[in-house]
């Protein structure tokens, strides 16, 4: 009787678990439906349009070929260059700032910096462009007050755009690398000091190797953020600097040759592929850094 009762209880428990799993799948259905509509349909539209040739009405790779030639290729290279330079500079400036925040003894200062970084990392677009134009543009307040024009300063240039991007990329780097810096064990520094290591040696042989996955992951995240930015660059430089996001906007507005209306979708597919490569690099690095600093 006891064995029979145990088997009955086990069967009941298994049935309850199966019922809970089925209910769990039902709870996920709205999320899956939203994902399919919000991401699946646009992705399908991009794929279909990128491989549809307007002149013939059939499928082909003419749009993709055109997106990798001439002005389009120049814009793609320009976006990659701008994103890479901005990401590297933001990482170089953001790491010491984040370290200063982590080692600060003033908790209020630390919380204030992290809160401000969270706000500034999401401040972009036309408002950011207007702020820089009013401050550092040709007729900006600081430009006239400091005579920057006579010194060769030009906001509407490659390096001017880099400085604008650093405004939101450095705070993003601080938010990204701060948890990794907090994960460094105090015992590691003490052990290095007890063995006669200097601060430089500690960072070179202990801290930086441990932080390397997080640093690379943050660098990749900064690159992706800068690569996808559009409104800020469009409001500041317009078409004076070739960028792929600006080329997509021109193509969508009809500023293309007859029969190349779908080149914008091919350019979008190029961006999606590059973003996919970025995420393929970022996710393994994030998992590895979490394993080290957990």
């Amino acid at each position: 009787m006891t064995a029979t009762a145990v088997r009955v209880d086990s069967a009941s428990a298994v049935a309850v678990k199966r019922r809970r799993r089925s209910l769990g799948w039902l709870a996920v259905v709205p999320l899956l439906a939203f994902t399919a509509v919000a991401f699946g349909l646009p992705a399908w539209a991009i794929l279909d349009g990128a491989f549809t040739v307007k002149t013939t009405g059939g499928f082909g790779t003419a749009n993709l070929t055109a997106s990798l030639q001439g002005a389009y290729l120049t814009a793609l290279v320009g976006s990659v260059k701008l994103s890479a330079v901005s990401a590297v500079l933001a990482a170089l400036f953001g790491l010491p700032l984040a370290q200063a925040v982590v080692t600060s003894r003033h908790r209020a200062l630390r919380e204030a910096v992290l809160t401000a970084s969270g706000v500034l990392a999401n401040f972009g677009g036309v408002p950011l462009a207007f702020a820089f134009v009013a401050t550092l543009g040709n007729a900006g307040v600081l430009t006239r007050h400091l005579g920057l024009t006579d010194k060769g300063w030009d906001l509407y240039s490659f390096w001017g755009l880099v400085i604008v991007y650093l405004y939101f990329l450095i705070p993003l780097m601080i938010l990204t690398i701060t948890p990794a810096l907090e994960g460094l064990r105090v015992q590691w520094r003490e052990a290095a000091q007890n063995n006669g290591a200097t601060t430089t040696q500690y960072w070179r042989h202990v801290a930086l190797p441990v932080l390397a996955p997080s640093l690379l992951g943050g660098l990749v995240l900064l690159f992706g953020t800068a690569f996808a930015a559009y409104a800020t660059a469009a409001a500041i430089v317009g078409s004076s600097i070739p960028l792929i996001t600006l080329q997509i906007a021109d193509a969508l507005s009809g500023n293309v040759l007859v029969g190349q209306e779908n080149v914008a979708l091919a350019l979008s597919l190029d961006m999606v592929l590059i973003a996919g490569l970025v995420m393929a690099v970022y996710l393994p690095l994030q998992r590895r850094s979490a394993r080290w600093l957990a």
Side-chain angles (χ1 to χ4, degrees):
M1 294 292 293
T2 303
T4 303
V6 171
R7 285 196 295 270
V8 171
D9 292 340
S10 300
S12 301
V14 171
V16 170
K17 289 182 179 179
R18 290 178 178 175
R19 194 177 299 111
R20 289 178 178 176
R21 289 178 180 176
S22 61
L23 293 176
W25 278 107
L26 290 176
V28 178
V29 168
L31 177 61
L32 295 177
F34 173 79
T35 304
V37 174
F39 296 97
L41 293 180
W44 172 254
I46 290 175
L47 285 173
D48 181 64
F51 289 98
T52 300
V53 182
K54 282 286 186 177
T55 55
T56 62
F59 290 96
T61 59
N63 295 323
L64 291 175
T65 302
S67 69
L68 297 176
Q69 294 178 351
Y72 300 126
L73 179 60
T74 302
L76 180 60
V77 173
S79 291
V80 171
K81 180 181 177 182
L82 175 64
S83 303
V85 172
S86 302
V88 171
L89 291 177
L92 292 177
F93 288 113
L95 178 59
L97 290 175
Q99 175 63 13
V101 170
V102 170
T103 57
S104 175
R105 297 180 180 179
H106 303 284
R107 183 176 180 181
L109 176 63
R110 177 180 179 277
E111 293 180 352
V113 172
L114 292 179
T115 301
S117 297
V119 175
L120 297 177
N122 294 282
F123 181 66
V126 177
L128 178 62
F130 173 78
F132 269 89
V133 169
T135 306
L136 293 171
N138 291 339
V141 176
L142 289 181
T143 302
R144 291 185 297 175
H145 181 72
L146 300 176
L148 297 179
T149 303
D150 298 333
K151 299 176 182 179
W153 165 251
D154 184 13
L155 177 65
Y156 314 106
S157 62
F158 175 84
W159 288 107
L161 196 57
V162 167
I163 291 177
V164 176
Y165 276 30
L166 290 179
Y167 186 85
F168 58 85
L169 290 181
I170 291 178
L172 181 59
M173 183 62 184
I174 293 175
L175 293 176
T176 303
I177 202 63
T178 295
L181 290 172
E182 291 177 338
L184 292 176
R185 306 289 192 270
V186 178
Q187 296 84 347
W188 297 346
R189 180 185 288 272
E190 293 176 349
Q193 292 176 347
N194 292 335
N195 285 278
T198 62
T199 301
T200 303
Q201 290 174 331
Y202 163 75
W203 278 97
R204 179 181 178 184
H205 299 288
V206 179
L208 287 180
V210 174
L211 292 174
S214 297
L215 288 173
L216 293 175
L219 188 65
V220 170
L221 180 62
L222 297 178
F223 176 88
T225 302
F227 187 73
Y230 162 72
T232 302
I236 291 180
V237 300
S239 300
S240 61
I241 295 179
L243 297 175
I244 187 171
T245 50
L246 304 182
Q247 286 286 355
I248 291 175
D250 289 340
L252 289 176
S253 63
N255 189 16
V256 292
L257 297 176
V258 177
Q260 293 188 356
E261 292 84 354
N262 284 347
V263 172
L265 297 176
L267 291 170
S268 301
L269 183 60
D270 295 338
M271 288 194 66
V272 169
L273 293 177
I274 293 177
L277 291 176
V278 168
M279 294 305 299
V281 174
Y282 174 70
L283 293 177
L285 291 173
Q286 187 182 41
R287 286 195 295 266
R288 184 174 179 181
S289 62
R291 190 165 60 247
W292 270 97
L293 300 170

